[in-house]
Amino acid sequence: MHMRDHYHGLAAGRYDRVWSDFTTRMVQPVVTYGLAGLPTGARILDVGCGTGVLLQASLAARPDLRAHGTDASDAMLAQARTRLNERAQLALWDLDHAPPPLIRDHAPYDLITCTN
């Protein structure tokens, strides 16, 4: 089963609850250490952003960031859009294919993350 297929429907809806402890442990070091030293207005890209938890935490710590996220699951991106309320630009991207224009056109990035 491809990961994008697993996180459609019910699995996507349960993701935050089921994985909250793991996500918290993964997000905090990225926010603490990954964002340190980035210039004002830095561009960040979270590949496999899921429901947008890392992007939300990054923007809370650094509202000046220009945040982008991708995921292979429409269901996960729908949750990220709700969570982020248009504070980040999100795109559907299966890594088996070339990046979509939204991601390509904003390169280069100051930080690219992929925590899971």
Side-chain angles (χ1 to χ4, degrees):
M1 173 184 285
H2 196 284
M3 190 61 82
R4 95 178 139 252
D5 299 327
H6 178 72
Y7 286 113
H8 282 290
L10 292 176
R14 293 188 306 254
Y15 182 86
D16 284 338
R17 182 174 37 83
V18 171
W19 291 98
S20 65
D21 290 341
F22 175 76
T23 302
T24 300
R25 286 193 314 271
M26 292 302 294
V27 165
Q28 199 52 53
V30 174
V31 171
T32 301
Y33 303 109
L35 301 182
L38 290 180
T40 301
R43 287 186 178 114
I44 65 169
L45 170 62
D46 186 12
V47 178
C49 70
T51 63
V53 174
L54 176 59
L55 290 172
Q56 180 183 38
S58 297
L59 289 165
R62 292 278 309 270
D64 64 292
L65 295 173
R66 292 183 286 171
H68 298 84
T70 68
D71 204 274
S73 166
D74 282 321
M76 297 291 270
L77 285 175
Q79 290 182 66
R81 285 186 183 93
T82 298
R83 167 175 271 126
L84 297 166
N85 197 24
E86 298 185 22
R87 294 184 62 214
Q89 295 186 44
L90 304 173
L92 187 65
W93 182 19
D94 181 332
L95 294 176
D96 292 335
H97 303 286
L102 176 73
I103 301 309
R104 252 191 348 262
D105 294 350
H106 287 92
Y109 293 93
D110 298 291
L111 176 67
I112 299 173
T113 60
C114 184
T115 57
N116 293 339

